[in-house]
Amino acid sequence: MYLSRFLSIHALWVTVSSVMQPYPLVWGHYDVCKTQIYTEEGKVWDYMACQPESTDMTKYLKVKLDPPDITCGDPPETFCAMGNPYMCNNECDASTPELAHPPELMFDFEGRHPSTFWQSATWKEYPKPLQVNITLSWSKTIELTDNIVITFESGRPDQMILEKSLDYGRTWQPYQYYATDCLDAFHMDPKSVKDLSQHTVLEIICTEEYSTGYMTNSKIIHFEIKDRFAFFAGPWLRNMASLYGQLDTTKKLRDFFTVTDLRIRLLRPAVGEIFVDELHLARYFYAISDIKVHGRCKCNLHATVCVYDNSKLTCECEHNTTGPDCGKCKKNYQGRPWSPGSYLPIPKGTANTCIPSISSIGNPPKSNRIWPNISSLEVSNPKQANVCDNELLHCQNGGTCHNNVRCLCPAAYTGILCEKLRCEESGSCGSDSDSDQGALQRGCPQLLLLAALLGTASSLVF
Ligand SMILES: [Ca+2]
């Protein structure tokens, strides 16, 4: 009986929701690019910002090793057992499938025992450094949505750099340094992501958290995407509106999570002691069983589908846009300059569709601004650039845009776009004793509903 009542309520909700179009049934996912609505002029399309779902991006990458012949087994060699450095009769032989450790074993399905893994040659040329670059290429800009996780089968390296490229491998920037001794290896003070803040979230740090020696049990290295999101969306990523607001207004932040390639630079294998044991150099090598990279194609909020065809990812562009990233207007749709979609206003964003060219009326209208140009994350000094306007970047919750540099928020709200409840900052939301009850009653239920809806998606979809 309860089930049938639930189903009828659910059916009613679906009916009400359909009538209430244009909002898609699920808010905050940006999974619909357009929907038909009824207006006084009849049926018309309503366009909204949209993006592909977050997915396992290792299915679409190409892997390259440098030096190319660094994988063990050609010629066959022996190495010491993991965890027992004095049992050195294990064999790696590239020509025998059971004894081979090729690079693709870093990306196969891991769930059986024992793990499958890639393994390098051993450090037999010591003291010449044993260094390996592992490059992962997508030939497409992608946006990372979850932690990069590298699982070692050997000890975690004493020194390693994770790097990223935004231009298909032409130039590289460090993402994070990893070392047992940051000062010694990279002349950097050790830090962890927890030491960062909203204002320093883009800082490149060296961490000692993941490099503790040869014999430790933990084999995992993270690059912490979610901890960085949490500076804006809260520890459980509930306040995604705030994160979306920041990603929209701060190009540098968005670019930080965007890559075309990643490069893992293994600079010194796990030694775990002060001196390298020169009599047993077969103890030292790199072995990786799994690499996880979650993300989505970057389609500038103009597509929900990204197809993999001929070993290449391409956005299926909507909103009259075209190009691998939907980065320009289609021919005959250049009536105004191309612009990416916007996450704001929540929940369905702004599509910024390309409109038909007006070839008969001279020059097309010029847009004042296409993308907000905040040059740093110092949002406490918003005079640096446009923060809001009345077209693309709306102040939320009844805030008004003041000279394009800041939102004037109602008393109950705060944040760069008035997206945050002031009571959240003081931790008094929902408290009966809160003096600003009126504001609470107006604001909290609406925001909590939004937070709940977004929260269901936050584990996978950012
Ligand atoms: Ca594997």
Side-chain angles (χ1 to χ4, degrees), residues 105-108 110 115-117 289-290:
L105 296 183
M106 292 186 278
F107 308 104
D108 59 341
E110 209 45 80
S115 307
T116 57
F117 54 92
S289 63
D290 195 54

Side-chain angles (χ1 to χ4, degrees), residues 179-249:
T180 41
D181 187 333
C182 283
L183 209 53
D184 179 56
F186 301 116
H187 309 293
M188 294 169 79
D189 286 324
K191 271 193 185 174
S192 94
V193 173
K194 293 177 202 77
D195 301 323
L196 301 177
S197 69
Q198 272 197 15
H199 299 294
T200 57
V201 67
L202 304 187
E203 194 183 312
I204 306 303
I205 59 167
C206 178
T207 176
E208 296 178 355
E209 216 172 325
Y210 304 107
S211 312
T212 42
Y214 182 74
M215 295 300 282
T216 54
N217 290 326
S218 183
K219 303 283 186 186
I220 295 176
I221 283 184
H222 280 262
F223 178 68
E224 306 90 340
I225 299 281
K226 283 199 161 173
D227 288 346
R228 286 171 167 88
F229 287 166
F231 290 124
F232 304 97
W236 302 103
L237 303 185
R238 294 277 181 202
N239 189 2
M240 295 303 281
S242 170
L243 174 63
Y244 285 140
Q246 287 292 350
L247 286 169
D248 243 31
T249 50

Side-chain angles (χ1 to χ4, degrees), residues 230-386:
F231 290 124
F232 304 97
W236 302 103
L237 303 185
R238 294 277 181 202
N239 189 2
M240 295 303 281
S242 170
L243 174 63
Y244 285 140
Q246 287 292 350
L247 286 169
D248 243 31
T249 50
T250 316
K251 186 176 180 304
K252 268 194 170 179
L253 182 66
R254 189 133 192 206
D255 282 350
F256 183 82
F257 299 110
T258 306
V259 306
T260 57
D261 305 69
L262 290 168
R263 186 160 73 181
I264 301 161
R265 293 182 57 198
L266 305 168
L267 300 177
R268 183 181 160 91
V271 172
E273 292 148 12
I274 297 168
F275 300 107
V276 172
D277 177 359
E278 290 188 53
L279 297 175
H280 299 92
L281 289 173
R283 288 175 61 180
Y284 309 114
F285 53 88
Y286 306 105
I288 294 178
S289 63
D290 195 54
I291 299 178
K292 285 193 177 17
V293 183
H294 268 268
R296 61 166 59 95
C297 284
K298 175 180 172 158
C299 302
N300 285 299
L301 294 173
H302 288 310
T304 55
V305 178
C306 190
V307 289
Y308 190 60
D309 198 15
N310 278 335
S311 307
K312 204 169 160 24
L313 285 165
T314 313
C315 302
E316 261 187 12
C317 302
E318 301 265 0
H319 303 156
N320 302 320
T321 60
T322 187
D325 304 348
C326 310
K328 56 185 183 178
C329 289
K330 273 200 316 206
K331 202 181 164 201
N332 299 328
Y333 284 89
Q334 285 150 356
R336 66 178 173 194
W338 173 88
S339 176
S342 163
Y343 283 119
L344 302 174
I346 300 285
K348 60 174 190 163
T350 310
N352 294 328
T353 52
C354 291
I355 58 173
S357 306
I358 316 167
S359 48
S360 56
I361 325 177
N363 293 328
K366 282 206 175 99
S367 167
N368 290 333
R369 184 184 48 72
I370 298 170
W371 186 265
N373 182 25
I374 292 184
S375 56
S376 83
L377 271 179
E378 295 296 324
V379 290
S380 56
N381 181 15
K383 284 187 179 165
Q384 290 172 356
N386 280 6

Side-chain angles (χ1 to χ4, degrees), residues 47-124:
Y47 296 95
M48 49 205 78
C50 53
Q51 63 186 3
E53 229 179 303
S54 170
T55 184
D56 170 10
M57 295 308 289
T58 58
K59 290 182 278 187
Y60 310 113
L61 60 77
K62 281 199 186 70
V63 60
K64 197 184 97 188
L65 263 56
D66 186 32
D69 59 352
I70 194 67
T71 298
C72 68
D74 185 17
E77 63 179 317
T78 55
F79 60 94
C80 304
M82 324 282 174
N84 187 347
Y86 299 102
M87 263 185 64
C88 298
N89 52 3
N90 285 341
E91 215 179 337
C92 177
D93 180 353
S95 60
T96 309
E98 304 82 60
L99 300 175
H101 295 285
E104 53 267 29
L105 296 183
M106 292 186 278
F107 308 104
D108 59 341
F109 175 72
E110 209 45 80
R112 54 187 172 246
H113 294 283
S115 307
T116 57
F117 54 92
W118 163 80
Q119 185 172 313
S120 75
T122 59
W123 202 358
K124 48 190 175 290

